[in-house]
PDB file of all heavy atoms in Angstrom:
ATOM      1  N   ASP A   1      24.758 -88.543   8.038  1.00 91.00           N
ATOM      2  CA  ASP A   1      24.368 -87.175   8.276  1.00 91.00           C
ATOM      3  C   ASP A   1      24.066 -86.440   6.960  1.00 91.00           C
ATOM      4  O   ASP A   1      23.064 -85.701   6.840  1.00 91.00           O
ATOM      5  CB  ASP A   1      25.481 -86.430   9.004  1.00 91.00           C
ATOM      6  CG  ASP A   1      25.125 -84.962   9.279  1.00 91.00           C
ATOM      7  OD1 ASP A   1      24.205 -84.682  10.007  1.00 91.00           O
ATOM      8  OD2 ASP A   1      25.857 -84.079   8.726  1.00 91.00           O
ATOM      9  N   THR A   2      24.868 -86.709   5.945  1.00 90.00           N
ATOM     10  CA  THR A   2      24.676 -86.034   4.657  1.00 90.00           C
ATOM     11  C   THR A   2      23.387 -86.471   3.991  1.00 90.00           C
ATOM     12  O   THR A   2      22.637 -85.630   3.475  1.00 90.00           O
ATOM     13  CB  THR A   2      25.870 -86.338   3.724  1.00 90.00           C
ATOM     14  OG1 THR A   2      27.092 -85.941   4.349  1.00 90.00           O
ATOM     15  CG2 THR A   2      25.737 -85.626   2.406  1.00 90.00           C
ATOM     16  N   ILE A   3      23.127 -87.768   3.969  1.00 89.00           N
ATOM     17  CA  ILE A   3      21.913 -88.239   3.266  1.00 89.00           C
ATOM     18  C   ILE A   3      20.655 -87.741   3.965  1.00 89.00           C
ATOM     19  O   ILE A   3      19.646 -87.450   3.336  1.00 89.00           O
ATOM     20  CB  ILE A   3      21.923 -89.777   3.153  1.00 89.00           C
ATOM     21  CG1 ILE A   3      21.029 -90.223   1.951  1.00 89.00           C
ATOM     22  CG2 ILE A   3      21.485 -90.453   4.398  1.00 89.00           C
ATOM     23  CD1 ILE A   3      21.592 -89.915   0.593  1.00 89.00           C
ATOM     24  N   GLN A   4      20.726 -87.635   5.301  1.00 88.00           N
ATOM     25  CA  GLN A   4      19.590 -87.130   6.031  1.00 88.00           C
ATOM     26  C   GLN A   4      19.322 -85.661   5.706  1.00 88.00           C
ATOM     27  O   GLN A   4      18.190 -85.211   5.541  1.00 88.00           O
ATOM     28  CB  GLN A   4      19.770 -87.275   7.549  1.00 88.00           C
ATOM     29  CG  GLN A   4      18.547 -86.925   8.372  1.00 88.00           C
ATOM     30  CD  GLN A   4      17.324 -87.726   8.015  1.00 88.00           C
ATOM     31  OE1 GLN A   4      17.373 -88.972   8.024  1.00 88.00           O
ATOM     32  NE2 GLN A   4      16.240 -87.068   7.624  1.00 88.00           N
ATOM     33  N   GLN A   5      20.419 -84.898   5.562  1.00 85.00           N
ATOM     34  CA  GLN A   5      20.274 -83.492   5.163  1.00 85.00           C
ATOM     35  C   GLN A   5      19.714 -83.366   3.772  1.00 85.00           C
ATOM     36  O   GLN A   5      18.887 -82.490   3.474  1.00 85.00           O
ATOM     37  CB  GLN A   5      21.629 -82.800   5.242  1.00 85.00           C
ATOM     38  CG  GLN A   5      22.158 -82.527   6.666  1.00 85.00           C
ATOM     39  CD  GLN A   5      23.417 -81.680   6.614  1.00 85.00           C
ATOM     40  OE1 GLN A   5      23.413 -80.553   6.089  1.00 85.00           O
ATOM     41  NE2 GLN A   5      24.487 -82.192   7.206  1.00 85.00           N
ATOM     42  N   LEU A   6      20.110 -84.270   2.887  1.00 83.00           N
ATOM     43  CA  LEU A   6      19.559 -84.270   1.539  1.00 83.00           C
ATOM     44  C   LEU A   6      18.072 -84.566   1.511  1.00 83.00           C
ATOM     45  O   LEU A   6      17.275 -83.938   0.799  1.00 83.00           O
ATOM     46  CB  LEU A   6      20.301 -85.265   0.667  1.00 83.00           C
ATOM     47  CG  LEU A   6      21.733 -84.916   0.265  1.00 83.00           C
ATOM     48  CD1 LEU A   6      22.395 -86.054  -0.451  1.00 83.00           C
ATOM     49  CD2 LEU A   6      21.759 -83.671  -0.618  1.00 83.00           C
ATOM     50  N   PHE A   7      17.675 -85.547   2.336  1.00 83.00           N
ATOM     51  CA  PHE A   7      16.249 -85.840   2.456  1.00 83.00           C
ATOM     52  C   PHE A   7      15.456 -84.635   2.988  1.00 83.00           C
ATOM     53  O   PHE A   7      14.377 -84.338   2.471  1.00 83.00           O
ATOM     54  CB  PHE A   7      16.023 -87.069   3.379  1.00 83.00           C
ATOM     55  CG  PHE A   7      16.437 -88.386   2.768  1.00 83.00           C
ATOM     56  CD1 PHE A   7      16.607 -89.484   3.579  1.00 83.00           C
ATOM     57  CD2 PHE A   7      16.646 -88.521   1.428  1.00 83.00           C
ATOM     58  CE1 PHE A   7      17.002 -90.722   3.076  1.00 83.00           C
ATOM     59  CE2 PHE A   7      17.048 -89.702   0.878  1.00 83.00           C
ATOM     60  CZ  PHE A   7      17.192 -90.825   1.688  1.00 83.00           C
ATOM     61  N   ASP A   8      16.014 -84.023   4.009  1.00 81.00           N
ATOM     62  CA  ASP A   8      15.350 -82.823   4.571  1.00 81.00           C
ATOM     63  C   ASP A   8      15.274 -81.707   3.530  1.00 81.00           C
ATOM     64  O   ASP A   8      14.265 -81.011   3.462  1.00 81.00           O
ATOM     65  CB  ASP A   8      16.116 -82.326   5.814  1.00 81.00           C
ATOM     66  CG  ASP A   8      16.080 -83.351   6.972  1.00 81.00           C
ATOM     67  OD1 ASP A   8      15.178 -84.209   6.936  1.00 81.00           O
ATOM     68  OD2 ASP A   8      16.887 -83.228   7.879  1.00 81.00           O
ATOM     69  N   GLN A   9      16.340 -81.563   2.733  1.00 75.00           N
ATOM     70  CA  GLN A   9      16.344 -80.548   1.686  1.00 75.00           C
ATOM     71  C   GLN A   9      15.287 -80.789   0.666  1.00 75.00           C
ATOM     72  O   GLN A   9      14.625 -79.876   0.202  1.00 75.00           O
ATOM     73  CB  GLN A   9      17.741 -80.518   1.067  1.00 75.00           C
ATOM     74  CG  GLN A   9      18.020 -79.329   0.173  1.00 75.00           C
ATOM     75  CD  GLN A   9      18.183 -78.048   0.940  1.00 75.00           C
ATOM     76  OE1 GLN A   9      18.837 -78.059   2.009  1.00 75.00           O
ATOM     77  NE2 GLN A   9      17.556 -76.995   0.509  1.00 75.00           N
ATOM     78  N   TRP A  10      15.177 -82.060   0.281  1.00 74.00           N
ATOM     79  CA  TRP A  10      14.193 -82.425  -0.760  1.00 74.00           C
ATOM     80  C   TRP A  10      12.762 -82.125  -0.270  1.00 74.00           C
ATOM     81  O   TRP A  10      11.898 -81.758  -1.027  1.00 74.00           O
ATOM     82  CB  TRP A  10      14.335 -83.887  -1.130  1.00 74.00           C
ATOM     83  CG  TRP A  10      13.485 -84.257  -2.300  1.00 74.00           C
ATOM     84  CD1 TRP A  10      13.838 -84.239  -3.605  1.00 74.00           C
ATOM     85  CD2 TRP A  10      12.116 -84.727  -2.215  1.00 74.00           C
ATOM     86  NE1 TRP A  10      12.761 -84.637  -4.384  1.00 74.00           N
ATOM     87  CE2 TRP A  10      11.698 -84.919  -3.568  1.00 74.00           C
ATOM     88  CE3 TRP A  10      11.226 -84.962  -1.228  1.00 74.00           C
ATOM     89  CZ2 TRP A  10      10.424 -85.359  -3.905  1.00 74.00           C
ATOM     90  CZ3 TRP A  10       9.918 -85.373  -1.524  1.00 74.00           C
ATOM     91  CH2 TRP A  10       9.550 -85.628  -2.871  1.00 74.00           C
ATOM     92  N   GLU A  11      12.515 -82.332   1.017  1.00 73.00           N
ATOM     93  CA  GLU A  11      11.187 -82.080   1.579  1.00 73.00           C
ATOM     94  C   GLU A  11      10.760 -80.635   1.415  1.00 73.00           C
ATOM     95  O   GLU A  11       9.564 -80.340   1.384  1.00 73.00           O
ATOM     96  CB  GLU A  11      11.148 -82.425   3.086  1.00 73.00           C
ATOM     97  CG  GLU A  11      11.360 -83.926   3.421  1.00 73.00           C
ATOM     98  CD  GLU A  11      10.115 -84.732   3.122  1.00 73.00           C
ATOM     99  OE1 GLU A  11       9.089 -84.166   2.735  1.00 73.00           O
ATOM    100  OE2 GLU A  11      10.163 -85.958   3.274  1.00 73.00           O
ATOM    101  N   LYS A  12      11.731 -79.754   1.235  1.00 71.00           N
ATOM    102  CA  LYS A  12      11.375 -78.322   1.089  1.00 71.00           C
ATOM    103  C   LYS A  12      10.978 -78.033  -0.329  1.00 71.00           C
ATOM    104  O   LYS A  12       9.793 -77.948  -0.677  1.00 71.00           O
ATOM    105  CB  LYS A  12      12.567 -77.453   1.530  1.00 71.00           C
ATOM    106  CG  LYS A  12      12.916 -77.628   3.006  1.00 71.00           C
ATOM    107  CD  LYS A  12      14.161 -76.836   3.356  1.00 71.00           C
ATOM    108  CE  LYS A  12      14.569 -77.084   4.802  1.00 71.00           C
ATOM    109  NZ  LYS A  12      15.833 -76.370   5.175  1.00 71.00           N
ATOM    110  N   THR A  13      11.964 -77.883  -1.205  1.00 61.00           N
ATOM    111  CA  THR A  13      11.625 -77.598  -2.614  1.00 61.00           C
ATOM    112  C   THR A  13      12.473 -78.398  -3.618  1.00 61.00           C
ATOM    113  O   THR A  13      12.159 -78.372  -4.805  1.00 61.00           O
ATOM    114  CB  THR A  13      11.837 -76.085  -2.930  1.00 61.00           C
ATOM    115  OG1 THR A  13      13.162 -75.750  -2.601  1.00 61.00           O
ATOM    116  CG2 THR A  13      10.884 -75.231  -2.099  1.00 61.00           C
ATOM    117  N   GLY A  14      13.521 -78.963  -3.183  1.00 59.00           N
ATOM    118  CA  GLY A  14      14.407 -79.695  -4.094  1.00 59.00           C
ATOM    119  C   GLY A  14      15.840 -79.382  -3.786  1.00 59.00           C
ATOM    120  O   GLY A  14      16.141 -78.629  -2.826  1.00 59.00           O
ATOM    121  N   PHE A  15      16.776 -79.918  -4.572  1.00 57.00           N
ATOM    122  CA  PHE A  15      18.198 -79.815  -4.219  1.00 57.00           C
ATOM    123  C   PHE A  15      18.931 -78.698  -4.980  1.00 57.00           C
ATOM    124  O   PHE A  15      19.613 -77.886  -4.409  1.00 57.00           O
ATOM    125  CB  PHE A  15      18.924 -81.111  -4.545  1.00 57.00           C
ATOM    126  CG  PHE A  15      18.340 -82.307  -3.896  1.00 57.00           C
ATOM    127  CD1 PHE A  15      17.661 -83.256  -4.610  1.00 57.00           C
ATOM    128  CD2 PHE A  15      18.423 -82.482  -2.517  1.00 57.00           C
ATOM    129  CE1 PHE A  15      17.125 -84.371  -4.006  1.00 57.00           C
ATOM    130  CE2 PHE A  15      17.913 -83.601  -1.904  1.00 57.00           C
ATOM    131  CZ  PHE A  15      17.250 -84.533  -2.664  1.00 57.00           C
ATOM    132  N   TYR A  16      18.758 -78.667  -6.264  1.00 54.00           N
ATOM    133  CA  TYR A  16      19.752 -78.064  -7.124  1.00 54.00           C
ATOM    134  C   TYR A  16      20.046 -76.586  -6.788  1.00 54.00           C
ATOM    135  O   TYR A  16      21.161 -76.180  -6.578  1.00 54.00           O
ATOM    136  CB  TYR A  16      19.293 -78.184  -8.561  1.00 54.00           C
ATOM    137  CG  TYR A  16      20.258 -77.637  -9.552  1.00 54.00           C
ATOM    138  CD1 TYR A  16      21.526 -78.185  -9.672  1.00 54.00           C
ATOM    139  CD2 TYR A  16      19.937 -76.559 -10.398  1.00 54.00           C
ATOM    140  CE1 TYR A  16      22.449 -77.703 -10.579  1.00 54.00           C
ATOM    141  CE2 TYR A  16      20.839 -76.066 -11.306  1.00 54.00           C
ATOM    142  CZ  TYR A  16      22.091 -76.594 -11.392  1.00 54.00           C
ATOM    143  OH  TYR A  16      22.992 -76.146 -12.308  1.00 54.00           O
ATOM    144  N   ASP A  17      18.998 -75.752  -6.745  1.00 53.00           N
ATOM    145  CA  ASP A  17      19.231 -74.340  -6.540  1.00 53.00           C
ATOM    146  C   ASP A  17      19.807 -74.037  -5.194  1.00 53.00           C
ATOM    147  O   ASP A  17      20.534 -73.087  -4.989  1.00 53.00           O
ATOM    148  CB  ASP A  17      17.915 -73.572  -6.746  1.00 53.00           C
ATOM    149  CG  ASP A  17      17.456 -73.640  -8.198  1.00 53.00           C
ATOM    150  OD1 ASP A  17      18.343 -73.814  -9.063  1.00 53.00           O
ATOM    151  OD2 ASP A  17      16.253 -73.524  -8.433  1.00 53.00           O
ATOM    152  N   GLN A  18      19.360 -74.844  -4.174  1.00 56.00           N
ATOM    153  CA  GLN A  18      19.774 -74.528  -2.791  1.00 56.00           C
ATOM    154  C   GLN A  18      21.107 -75.183  -2.425  1.00 56.00           C
ATOM    155  O   GLN A  18      21.760 -74.682  -1.510  1.00 56.00           O
ATOM    156  CB  GLN A  18      18.685 -75.002  -1.825  1.00 56.00           C
ATOM    157  CG  GLN A  18      17.333 -74.344  -2.106  1.00 56.00           C
ATOM    158  CD  GLN A  18      16.251 -74.908  -1.196  1.00 56.00           C
ATOM    159  OE1 GLN A  18      16.536 -75.608  -0.218  1.00 56.00           O
ATOM    160  NE2 GLN A  18      15.009 -74.656  -1.546  1.00 56.00           N
ATOM    161  N   LEU A  19      21.518 -76.214  -3.115  1.00 61.00           N
ATOM    162  CA  LEU A  19      22.687 -76.962  -2.716  1.00 61.00           C
ATOM    163  C   LEU A  19      23.952 -76.124  -2.849  1.00 61.00           C
ATOM    164  O   LEU A  19      24.888 -76.208  -2.018  1.00 61.00           O
ATOM    165  CB  LEU A  19      22.801 -78.208  -3.536  1.00 61.00           C
ATOM    166  CG  LEU A  19      23.553 -79.399  -2.894  1.00 61.00           C
ATOM    167  CD1 LEU A  19      22.906 -79.802  -1.591  1.00 61.00           C
ATOM    168  CD2 LEU A  19      23.591 -80.585  -3.819  1.00 61.00           C
ATOM    169  N   ALA A  20      23.979 -75.269  -3.902  1.00 60.00           N
ATOM    170  CA  ALA A  20      25.170 -74.433  -4.113  1.00 60.00           C
ATOM    171  C   ALA A  20      25.383 -73.466  -2.968  1.00 60.00           C
ATOM    172  O   ALA A  20      26.491 -73.005  -2.738  1.00 60.00           O
ATOM    173  CB  ALA A  20      25.036 -73.681  -5.441  1.00 60.00           C
ATOM    174  N   GLU A  21      24.303 -73.127  -2.266  1.00 64.00           N
ATOM    175  CA  GLU A  21      24.405 -72.158  -1.186  1.00 64.00           C
ATOM    176  C   GLU A  21      24.797 -72.829   0.152  1.00 64.00           C
ATOM    177  O   GLU A  21      25.043 -72.143   1.140  1.00 64.00           O
ATOM    178  CB  GLU A  21      23.053 -71.486  -0.977  1.00 64.00           C
ATOM    179  CG  GLU A  21      22.565 -70.726  -2.237  1.00 64.00           C
ATOM    180  CD  GLU A  21      21.151 -70.206  -2.053  1.00 64.00           C
ATOM    181  OE1 GLU A  21      20.610 -70.355  -0.985  1.00 64.00           O
ATOM    182  OE2 GLU A  21      20.614 -69.667  -3.040  1.00 64.00           O
ATOM    183  N   GLN A  22      24.854 -74.158   0.171  1.00 71.00           N
ATOM    184  CA  GLN A  22      25.139 -74.872   1.424  1.00 71.00           C
ATOM    185  C   GLN A  22      26.550 -75.441   1.314  1.00 71.00           C
ATOM    186  O   GLN A  22      26.742 -76.624   0.978  1.00 71.00           O
ATOM    187  CB  GLN A  22      24.109 -75.931   1.660  1.00 71.00           C
ATOM    188  CG  GLN A  22      22.712 -75.336   1.804  1.00 71.00           C
ATOM    189  CD  GLN A  22      21.724 -76.378   2.353  1.00 71.00           C
ATOM    190  OE1 GLN A  22      22.092 -77.284   3.077  1.00 71.00           O
ATOM    191  NE2 GLN A  22      20.464 -76.159   2.022  1.00 71.00           N
ATOM    192  N   SER A  23      27.534 -74.629   1.595  1.00 76.00           N
ATOM    193  CA  SER A  23      28.924 -75.021   1.423  1.00 76.00           C
ATOM    194  C   SER A  23      29.315 -76.168   2.319  1.00 76.00           C
ATOM    195  O   SER A  23      30.115 -77.025   1.964  1.00 76.00           O
ATOM    196  CB  SER A  23      29.841 -73.816   1.693  1.00 76.00           C
ATOM    197  OG  SER A  23      29.604 -73.305   3.021  1.00 76.00           O
ATOM    198  N   VAL A  24      28.739 -76.267   3.562  1.00 80.00           N
ATOM    199  CA  VAL A  24      29.072 -77.323   4.495  1.00 80.00           C
ATOM    200  C   VAL A  24      28.643 -78.673   3.937  1.00 80.00           C
ATOM    201  O   VAL A  24      29.375 -79.663   3.990  1.00 80.00           O
ATOM    202  CB  VAL A  24      28.464 -77.038   5.864  1.00 80.00           C
ATOM    203  CG1 VAL A  24      28.699 -78.257   6.787  1.00 80.00           C
ATOM    204  CG2 VAL A  24      29.024 -75.779   6.493  1.00 80.00           C
TER     205      VAL A  24
END
């Protein structure tokens, strides 16, 4: 589930800036 969310996140703009906002 986590890796799929990371792939979906990358499809948008990238990880770093948005990851801190996704506490779950």
Side-chain angles (χ1 to χ4, degrees):
D1 179 63
T2 303
I3 203 71
Q4 187 58 55
Q5 289 187 57
L6 288 173
F7 287 164
D8 294 342
Q9 192 71 43
W10 188 90
E11 293 284 358
K12 297 175 183 177
T13 57
F15 304 111
Y16 183 62
D17 294 334
Q18 301 175 15
L19 207 57
E21 302 172 5
Q22 299 193 27
S23 57
V24 175

